[in-house]
Amino acid sequence: MRVSRELPAGRSSAVSLQVDHVAGGRTEGTSTIHCSDIEGTELRVAVQEPPATDLSLETGGWYRFDGIVRPDSLDAQLLFPSGDRSVERIETPERQTPPPPAELDDPWLIQLGASDELIAVTVQPRPSNRTESIRVDDPGTFEIGAVCFAYCDRPGEATVYHREEPATRDEQLLLEHVVEDLSEAKGATLVTRGNDHAPLDMLFHRLSRASGGDVVPTGAERVLDDCFHAIPESVATRTGADTLADVGDHSDTAANQVMLSDHDIGADPVVWREDWEIDATALSDVSDPRMTDRDYATLVEWYLGAEDGPVDPARLASCLKAYASSDLDLLCAAVADGAMDRYGCPRLSGRLPEQ
């Protein structure tokens, strides 16, 4: 019986899956089925349209999905497209134990708990133009302000690479450090926050743009190829939790909100927020001490000297780095909890956007 990690890309296949949870899709007419295969690997199936046969799926039941397609996308998700396909209820099959990753020949999918190394990653962009929004698919709208790492299975302090100068060369020096670290993490699983792969897309795009110069080597963006990727937010949906912090009752780490009042940077947030449309933000008013991406976009320019600001540079640096790395504790706590051990993590090779 075929398992998910053996499915060929872009071809229709048959695979047996246990239904764990059925949820609505992101677009009208679709649904998402959270499933497990016979090795226990947890992944999702996107059903684009109801099949010709009745799709009344029972939670906990096993089904043979004929017509499943493994897409060339970053998510641990299979497609069940419209067309020639069927779903058949089957008897519960015998479980199998997945082999260690070292015994597999370039798998596209592994379980998070079997990964060689688990690294929490945050990527904080710096807008190129304060009047335009960041678009992940347009690397001209942003630069990298910071990249932070925390090795989830190694106790110790996080690694925070943050910009110190406004010149693009300073970003290249930051990216050079990132490439060096990732080059030593072959086979690792990178764990990021959010519901998509935007953090790694941003990193990929800026590495691609910087590669081939006198700092970042040609093809540096492909350093991500041998890594896998986990987006733990979907685990909350599977387990019925409201947020990632609730998966393992990590409310203490979820409360790790960076407060401007804790850093005493030398300026009140009212100074730079006075012209904001506060209703369009998650803030209660202009004096709300909670820090947001929009605050970071303003304050990083003050710190880099691109714009004058009445701030204490050392305290502002501490504030910016704390904000850029604030999700690392939660990501590592979610991994350590064990609720994600069977979560399917796709390989990044060939699955990030081409330039």
Side-chain angles (χ1 to χ4, degrees), residues 89-166:
R89 181 70 184 259
I90 62 173
E91 295 294 324
T92 301
E94 184 178 350
R95 291 279 192 175
Q96 296 180 10
T97 301
E103 297 180 9
L104 300 175
D105 183 19
D106 293 332
W108 78 273
L109 186 76
I110 65 168
Q111 292 183 8
L112 181 139
S115 181
D116 291 338
E117 193 158 40
L118 301 170
I119 306 175
V121 181
T122 61
V123 178
Q124 186 66 43
R126 172 200 180 196
S128 298
N129 188 323
R130 292 279 304 283
T131 63
E132 295 182 6
S133 299
I134 288 175
R135 298 191 302 279
V136 175
D137 60 350
D138 183 357
T141 63
F142 65 92
E143 296 179 359
I144 300 298
V147 177
C148 310
F149 297 117
Y151 292 83
C152 299
D153 47 1
R154 295 189 217 163
E157 295 184 1
T159 298
V160 178
Y161 295 121
H162 198 282
R163 296 285 293 276
E164 298 296 333
E165 300 289 342

Side-chain angles (χ1 to χ4, degrees), residues 164-308:
E164 298 296 333
E165 300 289 342
T168 302
R169 181 177 175 82
D170 189 60
E171 180 198 34
Q172 295 171 356
L173 293 172
L174 182 155
L175 293 174
E176 181 185 31
H177 288 301
V178 172
V179 171
E180 290 173 352
D181 284 3
L182 291 179
S183 296
E184 298 176 358
K186 183 177 181 179
T189 296
L190 309 181
V191 188
T192 64
R193 190 79 190 269
N195 289 308
D196 56 28
H197 46 277
L200 297 186
D201 268 355
M202 288 191 291
L203 184 58
F204 179 91
H205 281 307
R206 292 305 297 179
L207 278 171
S208 181
R209 176 166 285 206
S211 70
D214 60 347
V215 178
V216 180
T218 300
E221 67 277 10
R222 302 264 57 111
V223 73
L224 294 165
D225 280 357
D226 290 320
C227 296
F228 296 83
H229 186 217
I231 308 173
E233 254 78 5
S234 62
V235 177
T237 302
R238 174 185 290 272
T239 59
D242 292 330
T243 66
L244 176 61
D246 296 328
V247 171
D249 191 23
H250 302 302
S251 55
D252 54 337
T253 54
N256 194 26
Q257 174 88 45
V258 173
M259 309 296 284
L260 291 163
S261 54
D262 291 340
H263 291 272
D264 191 19
I265 63 174
D268 190 281
V270 175
V271 172
W272 65 85
R273 292 175 178 169
E274 59 180 348
D275 295 326
W276 287 14
E277 293 183 13
I278 208 67
D279 291 342
T281 72
L283 302 171
S284 58
D285 53 51
V286 292
S287 62
D288 192 324
R290 292 175 294 171
M291 187 169 175
T292 67
D293 280 348
R294 192 172 178 183
D295 293 308
Y296 179 91
T298 297
L299 296 176
V300 74
E301 298 309 314
W302 288 5
Y303 178 65
L304 297 179
E307 295 182 9
D308 293 332

Side-chain angles (χ1 to χ4, degrees), residues 317-332:
S318 175
C319 178
L320 292 171
K321 292 175 182 179
Y323 184 77
S325 61
S326 60
D327 284 333
L328 294 179
D329 286 346
L330 176 58
L331 291 171
C332 286

Side-chain angles (χ1 to χ4, degrees), residues 4-125:
S4 299
R5 60 177 171 78
E6 296 175 339
L7 295 178
R11 289 166 49 189
S12 179
S13 304
V15 64
S16 297
L17 300 168
Q18 182 181 38
V19 174
D20 301 322
H21 177 72
V22 179
R26 295 184 181 180
T27 59
E28 186 177 354
T30 69
S31 60
T32 299
I33 308 171
H34 294 262
C35 299
S36 304
D37 67 7
I38 58 174
E39 290 184 338
T41 303
E42 298 173 349
L43 63 160
R44 301 183 305 282
V45 175
V47 181
Q48 295 178 326
E49 294 177 6
T53 55
D54 183 29
L55 193 61
S56 298
L57 303 176
E58 180 182 338
T59 299
W62 280 88
Y63 297 84
R64 184 179 186 273
F65 291 80
D66 194 351
I68 285 284
V69 176
R70 173 193 142 198
D72 284 322
S73 65
L74 189 61
D75 298 329
Q77 179 168 280
L78 305 175
L79 298 180
F80 199 44
S82 58
D84 187 14
R85 60 184 184 174
S86 63
V87 182
E88 178 187 0
R89 181 70 184 259
I90 62 173
E91 295 294 324
T92 301
E94 184 178 350
R95 291 279 192 175
Q96 296 180 10
T97 301
E103 297 180 9
L104 300 175
D105 183 19
D106 293 332
W108 78 273
L109 186 76
I110 65 168
Q111 292 183 8
L112 181 139
S115 181
D116 291 338
E117 193 158 40
L118 301 170
I119 306 175
V121 181
T122 61
V123 178
Q124 186 66 43

